[in-house]
Amino acid sequence: MFHRGEAKVLGSGTGARLLAGALAAICVVLVGPSAPSGALYAGGRPAVAARDAVPNRVMTWNLCNPCDTSDVDRAAEIAAYAPQVIGVQEACVRDVERIREYLENLHGLVYRVEYGTVLRKWGRCGGAPWNPGAYGQAILSAAPMTDPVTVEYPDGGSEDRGYMAVTTTVGGRSVRVFNTHLAQRRQETVRDEQTRVLAAEVARHDRAILLGDFNAVPEAPELGRIWALATDADPQCRPSPTGTCLPTTDWQSKFDYVFLRGITPLGHRVLPSPYSDHHPLYADLDLT
């Protein structure tokens, strides 16, 4: 017995064991029985087992910003196909960071990231009016990346645009990967100058992958310099009216490309998505 106002100290005997048991029972009620092994991350969900990306698969996707789209959904869309390299356009830094976290914590896919942001704009990426979010391109890669560059085109058209490039590993081979977003649809002369800048850099590499939203259909004259250097991941897609190029946008135009230089395509898919007005496009490649 102890008297009112006195504190009873539980030692290492029966009292301590009873207290420990009670606390354990409370934990079971609150947390649930036998959570999966692995650390819990901030969202309260258990971390999933690590997965391997498909080593010879690359993807391009215009994320559509600003759009009322969840980064959880964007991450799930990428994880369904687990590419080795992803080039994203209209990418806000804060969105890409969240997508990376969801890819790792919800899908077990770990990616590194390099940014090719060329603009800070509150209307695109939010943030404080005096400190708007960074916007442009990004490349996510399951393998390390080296020699990153970001180039802003001399004339972006109605909005600053540019390209980025990294060296990374695809299909077990080192390759230079480019990611770009050209000027908007009715700015052909601006895009023509942009492809001149881009093609001059791509031409320096015998083996290259060029991802991006070119805002131009395959037969557009401003893409002529790119077609002279590379082929589409779809062998049937050519810069001619007879080419059979699958549309990559909600308005049934092909604007998104995986261009290949010195690399053989094995297969490709366009993936209609409710999470952007552009469809993800992936390609499997032979780099032997």
Side-chain angles (χ1 to χ4, degrees), residues 63-78:
L63 295 179
C64 183
N65 273 312
C67 282
D68 186 16
T69 300
S70 165
D71 290 324
V72 170
D73 295 328
R74 287 168 166 162
E77 197 86 329
I78 293 169

Side-chain angles (χ1 to χ4, degrees), residues 117-182:
T117 53
V118 294
L119 180 66
R120 301 190 70 88
K121 190 170 183 180
W122 183 87
R124 285 287 193 178
C125 296
W130 58 89
N131 186 28
Y135 171 84
Q137 290 75 245
I139 293 177
L140 289 80
S141 175
M145 291 177 278
T146 61
D147 304 317
V149 299
T150 297
V151 176
E152 184 172 343
Y153 293 123
D155 183 0
S158 55
E159 181 179 80
D160 294 349
R161 295 288 165 90
Y163 76 83
M164 63 179 299
V166 302
T167 299
T168 189
T169 302
V170 178
R173 301 290 296 272
S174 178
V175 63
R176 194 67 171 165
V177 178
F178 294 82
N179 182 22
T180 192
H181 188 191
L182 300 189

Side-chain angles (χ1 to χ4, degrees), residues 38 52 59 62 79 104 114 165 214-215 229 232 243 276-277:
D52 291 331
M59 174 185 281
N62 181 314
E104 180 173 359
E114 292 287 348
F214 287 73
N215 269 317
L229 295 170
D232 193 90
S276 174
D277 55 357

Side-chain angles (χ1 to χ4, degrees), residues 20 23 33 45 62 119 134 143 151-152 163 182 190 210 252 266 288:
L23 291 174
R45 301 180 181 89
N62 181 314
L119 180 66
V151 176
E152 184 172 343
Y163 76 83
L182 300 189
V190 176
L210 178 50
Q252 296 301 303
L266 294 177
T288 58

